[in-house]
Amino acid sequence: MSEKSFTLTNNETGGSIDLPMREGTDGPITVDISSLFQTTGLLTFDPGFMSTASCESAITYIDGEKGILRYRGYPVEQLAERSDFLEVAYLLLYGDLPSAQALLDFRALIGHHTMINESLTQFFDGFHYDAHPMSIMVGVVGSLSAFYHDSLDIHNPRHREICAHRLIAKMPTIAAACYKHNVGEPLIYPRNDLSYVGNYLRMMFATPCDDYEPNPVAEKALNLLFLLHADHEQNASTSTVRLAGSSGANPFACIAAGITSLWGPAHGGANEAVISMLDEIGHTDNIDKYIVKAKDKSDPFRLMGFGHRVYKNYDPRAKIIRSVCHEVLEKLADPDNPKFELALRLEEIALKDPYFVERKLYPNVDFYSGIIYQALGIPSSMFTVMFAIARTAGWIAHWMEMISDPGQRIGRPRQLYTGATQRDYVPIAER
Ligand code: CMC
């Protein structure tokens, strides 16, 4: 028994049990219920994991009340100001910031893996031209599991590392190819003398007839968005990757499972939904009407890009994105972008409304990101794909952390059964 314990008393029998309490390096105290069923035959019930720590992790820390986000201990604001996406990917994977040489080597290594197998390029042609890029992404990333048999022993740390490098390197190539398929243009091969983000922008916007020189403002903005989306502890898609991977499944297939979960509008799909919502609202004059709809429980409309399971304060990522929005719009597009003006006004009105105040609903990472993506010329159907490129760093870091844990076992939740009790089969003629 650890020093601190939590006593659970059964009011019916009067019996009680002491459950060990565990303290992490930061964050709430956790009651360890892992032996509860074995010792008492009782299960705990927590749909939506409102009060469940599903694993131990040393990667990302969030304090939702204070609006704090740290990768490996480093405040996201400092990383956003001074780091870049690939350095953050290294930090997430290896736990510490790289030396100058280690970072150079890492960039070269990722560059070395950016191409996809030529036979995989045929895969895109199987999709209809108007397939949603996320649906293509799920299929193509999942199909990576059919390659690389030489380095797929998940119990070999070196193999795990190679899988991580391959995934981080190939996601932009696959993402840009999804877009090219949608617009009917040939796939553009990566160019490894460009930065990670510059290479991606070129693969999106170059054609065999016209090369594309990445715009430094666009590169800086996209780099920031990737960095801010790189990890977010045990969110739905990361938990999906962990659960899929807990059975020992192929890592590329596990990441495809994560992409599937990310796609939903309550998660990564919200960035696309925010732009549709702003289009639908259309003008600041209509905001009040939509605020009424968002508060009406009989109306399925929700304010997209608002609210978060963990943040009960301003999402620190949204704060950073909001502050760079002005700069990006000024340098790249219309400085008086009506959508940004509309979003700012919507935020202002919502944050004064008792409904949003009482429920602590603030703008989240997705509220302003779409406005920057649009200014970069990225269509809204690609927004969640952009999120997937960035979050791959976090997903694979979590997968590696989980597989390398000696106590790791298959994730297998139980249930509160509410179906029929035993009944006898009735022959069809008697029903
Ligand atoms: N608009 C209107 N009401 C809302 C909203 C919203 N965006 N979000 C939450 N609420 C209300 C909800 O109706 C509920 O009210 P009541 O207590 O009266 O029943 C209360 O606030 C609590 O909401 P919940 O749905 O129980 O909270 P949750 O933690 O289960 O859901 C959420 C979190 C992010 C799914 C939700 O806030 C939401 O649907 N937001 C809009 C979608 C969105 O922006 N998603 C992106 C999340 S951040 C990026 C990411 O994770 O990928």
Side-chain angles (χ1 to χ4, degrees):
M1 182 65 63
S2 67
E3 259 177 49
K4 288 184 185 163
S5 67
F6 183 86
T7 305
L8 195 68
T9 307
N10 184 331
N11 285 339
E12 273 188 24
T13 64
S16 66
I17 176 175
D18 285 333
L19 295 165
M21 282 167 53
R22 302 190 50 188
E23 276 182 79
T25 47
D26 224 330
I29 295 178
T30 302
V31 181
D32 183 345
I33 55 159
S34 54
S35 64
L36 185 71
F37 181 67
Q38 214 174 14
T39 47
T40 66
L42 296 171
L43 292 174
T44 55
F45 183 65
D46 185 19
F49 307 114
M50 302 293 287
S51 307
T52 294
S54 62
C55 62
E56 259 182 48
S57 182
I59 300 175
T60 289
Y61 174 72
I62 303 175
D63 182 328
E65 290 297 328
K66 295 191 184 133
I68 290 173
L69 169 62
R70 297 184 200 125
Y71 296 153
R72 299 284 190 184
Y74 295 101
V76 74
E77 293 81 1
Q78 286 182 25
L79 294 168
E81 177 82 31
R82 302 168 69 177
S83 184
D84 72 12
F85 173 69
L86 271 193
E87 187 180 43
V88 161
Y90 182 103
L91 174 67
L92 294 171
L93 290 182
Y94 297 106
D96 286 305
L97 287 170
S99 66
Q101 189 56 50
L103 184 57
L104 271 178
D105 293 347
F106 186 64
R107 290 191 201 285
L109 204 63
I110 297 299
H112 172 75
H113 285 295
T114 48
M115 288 226 306
I116 51 175
N117 190 295
E118 195 58 22
S119 63
L120 198 67
T121 61
Q122 318 285 317
F123 210 88
F124 293 88
D125 292 334
F127 288 90
H128 202 51
Y129 74 95
D130 61 356
H132 193 287
M134 280 299 275
S135 69
I136 309 179
M137 195 84 178
V138 171
V140 175
V141 173
S143 74
L144 287 175
S145 56
F147 297 82
Y148 317 119
H149 305 299
D150 59 335
S151 46
L152 273 178
D153 175 6
I154 62 164
H155 302 295
N156 179 332
R158 180 66 194 128
H159 284 200
R160 293 199 291 269
E161 196 180 16
I162 295 170
C163 284
H165 296 161
R166 282 196 166 123
L167 270 158
I168 293 171
K170 292 181 200 308
M171 287 298 272
T173 313
I174 294 172
C178 293
Y179 171 69
K180 289 299 194 190
H181 181 72
N182 280 164
V183 293
E185 290 176 7
L187 180 156
I188 299 293
Y189 288 95
R191 228 180 70 191
N192 294 340
D193 58 319
L194 298 175
S195 72
Y196 185 83
V197 166
N199 183 38
Y200 173 71
L201 287 169
R202 182 181 165 274
M203 288 189 289
M204 279 277 291
F205 298 123
T207 70
C209 320
D210 270 317
D211 207 353
Y212 168 92
E213 269 308 309
N215 176 323
V217 178
E219 237 178 301
K220 190 176 161 209
L222 192 53
N223 192 36
L224 176 74
L225 289 178
F226 279 180
L227 183 153
L228 294 174
H229 285 85
D231 193 44
H232 214 227
E233 55 120 300
Q234 312 308 322
N235 55 84
S237 56
T238 304
S239 299
T240 303
V241 171
R242 279 186 176 262
L243 192 57
S246 75
S247 69
N250 178 294
F252 298 103
C254 296
I255 299 300
I259 297 172
T260 312
S261 168
L262 185 75
W263 193 3
H267 192 7
N271 52 15
E272 188 180 345
V274 168
I275 294 297
S276 312
M277 175 187 77
L278 293 176
D279 282 337
E280 190 184 325
I281 298 175
H283 194 274
T284 46
D285 291 351
N286 302 327
I287 291 177
D288 289 344
K289 189 175 100 193
Y290 281 89
I291 292 277
V292 170
K293 272 165 78 61
K295 296 190 289 189
D296 179 357
K297 298 292 173 201
S298 61
D299 189 324
F301 178 80
R302 274 189 169 201
L303 220 50
M304 299 313 286
F306 252 78
H308 196 275
R309 170 62 62 80
V310 185
Y311 292 121
K312 301 301 165 201
N313 201 324
Y314 214 110
D315 180 335
R317 302 166 300 172
K319 208 178 271 176
I320 298 169
I321 296 173
R322 183 186 192 270
S323 72
V324 300
C325 243
H326 273 298
E327 187 194 333
V328 174
L329 292 175
E330 216 155 89
K331 290 186 178 156
L332 282 182
D334 177 6
D336 304 315
N337 182 302
K339 219 166 268 170
F340 185 42
E341 296 306 320
L342 181 60
L344 286 171
R345 186 80 189 114
L346 180 59
E347 174 191 332
E348 195 187 328
I349 293 176
L351 292 187
K352 281 188 194 138
D353 190 297
Y355 173 95
F356 292 90
V357 174
E358 280 158 22
R359 290 169 180 75
K360 299 182 178 175
L361 301 170
Y362 291 86
N364 60 50
V365 67
D366 291 320
F367 193 64
Y368 290 107
S369 61
I371 293 171
I372 297 192
Y373 286 138
Q374 272 201 333
L376 303 184
I378 293 165
S380 59
S381 62
M382 284 293 289
F383 292 177
T384 315
V385 171
M386 313 300 286
F387 196 154
I389 299 174
R391 187 54 60 83
T392 296
W395 288 331
I396 200 67
H398 281 273
W399 176 81
M400 284 170 77
E401 182 182 66
M402 179 188 70
I403 300 288
S404 59
D405 177 353
Q408 188 269 326
R409 55 213 308 205
I410 189 166
R412 177 47 168 101
R414 298 295 302 276
Q415 63 178 6
L416 174 63
Y417 178 69
T418 56
T421 53
Q422 184 177 328
R423 47 185 173 164
D424 291 326
Y425 180 83
V426 180
I428 198 155
E430 293 169 30
R431 281 178 232 162

